[in-house]
Amino acid sequence: MSEVPGVPPAQQLLVGLARLGQAIRMDAWRNSGPYTLSPLQADIIAFLDEQAGPRRQGDVVAALASTPPTVSDAVKVLRAKKLVEGVRDPADARAVVVRLTPEGEEEARRLGAASQVMSEAFAVLSEADLAAMLRGTAAVMKGLQDRHAIPVSRMCLTCRFFAPDAHPRDAARPHHCNFVDAPFGDAQLRVTCPDHQPADG
Ligand code: SF4
């Protein structure tokens, strides 16, 4: 009997992830909503929504691995659409920070709901598969962050409140979040969390 030729799984995974990235981008264009948001404009709204408060434009540039002119243009458009506004930075009166308007917060909620296409595609996965994918994705993200290959995310794996495998006898919820003082499992791992504080901060 012949054998299926071996291909490194990481290589196949990279191809698959690239296809998923394309699908997510295409979905963002389809889901541009009432404000006809570009994917970058949607990313800016999602980023500001994740933050505990207003952020400088430079933070947006770093978080989205973009460039100052590109983000500046997108923020101008979002301001014209009245989804974000600029306010004085309380920490530095000469600086301006951007934040979501109430309309922007509403748009963030719409963007936060998975589209029908994505919901249907992910529905084929079991809870265990979803948890394993989330755990693997978070681990690869951390590896890339450690190598300065992607912007830093406010994720459990880099959070000072994260205690991995603190409950080894609880297979469903082995980890502990010291912020909310509760056990949790891989399925609840966060790759973006408003309560995150850097482990080395
Ligand atoms: S505070 Fe958020 S990021 Fe930190 S461990 Fe808890 S859930 Fe994870």
Side-chain angles (χ1 to χ4, degrees):
M1 190 188 296
S2 59
E3 286 191 6
V4 176
V7 180
Q11 194 178 318
Q12 288 297 286
L13 197 51
L14 280 175
V15 174
L17 289 174
R19 296 280 189 279
L20 279 180
Q22 287 168 352
I24 290 168
R25 222 60 187 162
M26 285 166 62
D27 191 59
W29 280 113
R30 275 195 303 269
N31 190 30
S32 60
Y35 294 97
T36 57
L37 299 177
S38 71
L40 176 61
Q41 291 164 18
D43 285 348
I44 292 172
I45 290 199
F47 170 74
L48 291 174
D49 187 52
E50 289 161 17
Q51 307 307 304
R55 303 302 293 227
R56 292 190 184 184
Q57 221 156 274
D59 296 334
V60 182
V61 172
L64 302 183
S66 189
T67 63
T70 305
V71 167
S72 178
D73 287 349
V75 168
K76 263 186 220 149
V77 174
L78 289 172
R79 287 177 80 154
K81 291 176 179 175
K82 304 206 179 325
L83 296 174
V84 306
E85 60 189 357
V87 292
R88 289 272 160 225
D89 185 347
D92 179 356
R94 292 163 304 174
V96 172
V97 287
V98 284
R99 69 181 178 195
L100 294 178
T101 61
E103 292 83 0
E105 287 171 0
E106 195 175 317
E107 188 59 6
R109 280 192 288 279
R110 188 191 69 79
L111 289 167
S115 73
Q116 192 180 350
V117 167
M118 286 295 161
S119 299
E120 287 172 4
F122 277 90
V124 302
L125 296 172
S126 67
E127 282 292 317
D129 284 345
L130 275 172
M133 277 185 82
L134 186 53
R135 185 181 63 230
T137 300
V140 173
M141 283 174 68
K142 178 164 186 315
L144 291 168
Q145 285 183 191
D146 290 346
R147 290 160 181 78
H148 308 289
I150 57 170
V152 172
S153 292
R154 299 160 65 89
M155 58 196 290
C156 289
L157 268 54
T158 60
C159 179
R160 77 180 180 90
F161 298 121
F162 182 51
D165 299 315
H167 309 284
R169 280 186 287 206
D170 186 347
R173 298 184 303 168
H175 316 307
H176 197 87
C177 171
N178 286 315
F179 182 79
V180 291
D181 192 19
F184 68 107
D186 287 340
Q188 288 84 43
L189 279 170
R190 304 284 301 261
V191 292
T192 174
C193 171
D195 304 316
H196 172 277
Q197 286 189 22
D200 51 4

